[in-house]
Amino acid sequence: FSATSTSRAHVLDAILQFVKHRGLCIGPGARGRRRPRTCFFIPETDEDAAVADLSLVINTDGSVAARTSAGTETISEPAHTASPSSQRSTDRIGRVKADA
């Protein structure tokens, strides 16, 4: 998707609806009987990552940090020092979790 793509907005909206309504295309009467949903996704932009209630950030040094609206906490220190040839850009994994 391009950064200005309306498709991107539709996909992110579908993710949020999936979690909020415990599935897609489910009638309102069936929602209470369905289990809560959690969706993991890989955001391409900071705006995409802002949709997640939790983002796991894998830094170039191999450390992992958890980012929430409350702040950032390091949850894993680097296992080793990466050589310049093996370094890569920071990766993120976003999670949208249903309220229980």
Side-chain angles (χ1 to χ4, degrees):
F1 299 115
S2 68
T4 59
S5 171
T6 56
S7 297
R8 177 188 304 277
H10 290 297
V11 170
L12 288 174
D13 185 56
I15 289 171
L16 293 173
Q17 294 302 317
F18 171 78
V19 172
K20 180 179 179 182
H21 298 294
R22 298 181 177 195
L24 294 174
C25 303
I26 305 297
R31 280 189 206 128
R33 296 188 307 267
R34 297 183 59 83
R35 294 186 311 236
R37 301 288 192 239
T38 298
C39 184
F40 292 89
F41 67 101
I42 299 173
E44 292 185 7
T45 66
D46 290 338
E47 292 80 19
D48 293 351
V51 170
D53 64 321
L54 170 74
S55 290
L56 297 177
V57 180
I58 304 167
N59 296 304
T60 56
D61 66 359
S63 64
V64 179
R67 289 187 185 158
T68 65
S69 60
T72 301
E73 175 185 351
T74 299
I75 58 175
S76 172
E77 296 297 328
H80 66 284
T81 303
S83 66
S85 62
S86 68
Q87 288 183 348
R88 55 185 163 72
S89 62
T90 299
D91 292 324
R92 293 180 286 207
I93 301 170
R95 176 194 79 183
V96 179
K97 184 178 182 214
D99 295 327

